[in-house]
Amino acid sequence: MAGKSCNVLITGANRGLGLEMVKQLAEKPIPKRKIFACCRDPSAPKAQSLQELAKKHPGVIHVIRLDVADLSSIQESAKKVGSIVGKDGLNLLVNNAGMAPWDNTENVKLKDMQDTFNTNVVGTMMVTKEFLPYLREGAKSSGKAGMSCCKAAVINISTILSSISKAPGNISVFPVVAVSYRISKAGLNMLTVCQAQEFKEDGILFALLHPGWVRTDMGGPDGEIDAPESVSGMLHVMESLTEKDNGAFLDYKGETLPW
């Protein structure tokens, strides 16, 4: 993800995979890079680790308030980021923020389902919409042909649990179905495929990544891998993406996943 500039925005960056992604990107020797690390409340205790990381990389990491469930917050953050990136635009948007109540079809609560869909699908859609002008600017200013994450790309973090063909097998593995999470991420998959087609003429690449079952607050302590391994794998996959991968559903190892 190197180039004349490399401007990256990550949502849900105050913990877990988002925080680890900010950390690993900040450590990469990329010139003129700007990393916009977004979270709902940068002043909250949960954002302390992110703030400390930003202090270690002044001028590189910009901590931005962005609540994906609040349109005005999204719009305000887009204006702020736009004023910083200028004509260089935005090269990579990672929609990582999400929520996952552990429910099933019998005990699911209406508000949990609504909030999960609003965060994982509608919120992601609106973030992409508001930052689209800067992604278009990034694609134009890059001077690069084809599609790539150093030109302009949107990576939506999905999950193997969204796979309809895999559902019968993996539902039996997990003690809780996580129905709200599964359904919302399946919706995110469709959204991403639609975006991939709608914006391909703009040179903006769209792809879905499954980070693996990771030991984080969301993934729980029984996950198969830790956050550094997952993020290292995802960044490697991102660096390899081309126009052939537009609309793809991949895991952190680069393997194609079934819908």
Side-chain angles (χ1 to χ4, degrees):
M1 283 173 277
K4 68 180 183 67
S5 68
C6 187
N7 297 325
V8 181
L9 187 143
I10 303 166
T11 65
N14 62 309
R15 61 175 184 159
L17 295 174
L19 180 62
E20 180 62 28
M21 191 169 291
V22 173
K23 179 177 180 292
Q24 291 193 25
L25 282 173
E27 293 171 349
K28 285 181 175 289
I30 303 172
K32 299 183 181 180
R33 69 198 189 283
K34 294 183 180 68
I35 303 168
F36 299 96
C38 304
C39 61
R40 282 183 296 178
D41 187 357
S43 63
K46 289 184 177 180
Q48 183 177 351
S49 295
L50 175 59
Q51 293 287 4
E52 291 174 353
L53 183 62
K55 290 178 182 178
K56 294 179 181 178
H57 300 276
V60 175
I61 298 175
H62 301 257
V63 180
I64 305 290
R65 181 186 179 277
L66 193 163
D67 182 350
V68 301
D70 181 347
L71 181 57
S72 63
S73 172
I74 297 170
Q75 292 172 332
E76 288 173 10
S77 67
K79 290 179 182 177
K80 185 170 185 178
V81 170
S83 69
I84 297 172
V85 298
K87 293 183 179 180
D88 286 335
L90 187 65
N91 304 106
L92 177 62
L93 166 60
V94 182
N95 283 308
N96 168 71
M99 62 178 293
W102 294 102
D103 52 18
N104 57 39
T105 57
E106 183 177 5
N107 67 21
V108 63
K109 297 177 181 178
L110 176 61
K111 188 175 186 309
D112 283 348
M113 174 64 89
Q114 291 173 330
D115 288 348
T116 303
F117 198 86
N118 193 40
T119 298
N120 295 354
V121 185
V122 180
T124 297
M125 179 173 65
M126 298 312 296
V127 168
T128 303
K129 177 184 177 183
E130 294 301 323
F131 283 93
L132 186 60
Y134 309 118
L135 287 162
R136 283 181 169 139
E137 196 66 39
K140 290 179 183 177
S141 67
S142 72
K144 297 179 180 295
M147 290 181 171
S148 69
C149 287
C150 62
K151 179 180 180 179
V154 177
I155 303 298
N156 291 330
I157 303 301
S158 189
T159 171
I160 189 63
L161 298 183
S162 67
S163 170
I164 294 174
S165 61
K166 285 283 188 180
N170 61 37
I171 284 176
S172 63
V173 174
F174 290 88
V176 183
V177 175
V179 65
S180 298
Y181 181 62
R182 288 174 180 270
I183 293 172
S184 68
K185 289 296 188 176
L188 175 64
N189 294 356
M190 176 58 79
L191 169 64
T192 306
V193 172
C194 291
Q195 291 170 323
Q197 294 303 308
E198 186 173 350
F199 301 114
K200 63 183 179 181
E201 295 304 319
D202 292 298
I204 304 172
L205 184 151
F206 283 80
L208 293 147
L209 285 185
H210 163 52
W213 185 11
V214 190
R215 290 185 289 272
T216 61
D217 289 345
M218 183 179 289
D222 299 322
E224 297 174 339
I225 58 174
D226 59 16
E229 180 180 354
S230 172
V231 169
S232 176
M234 288 194 289
L235 290 178
H236 180 72
V237 172
M238 289 182 207
E239 290 170 355
S240 71
L241 296 177
T242 70
E243 56 273 17
K244 296 178 182 178
D245 304 299
N246 192 34
F249 183 18
L250 309 168
D251 70 7
Y252 71 102
K253 296 180 180 179
E255 298 294 327
T256 300
L257 298 178
W259 300 105

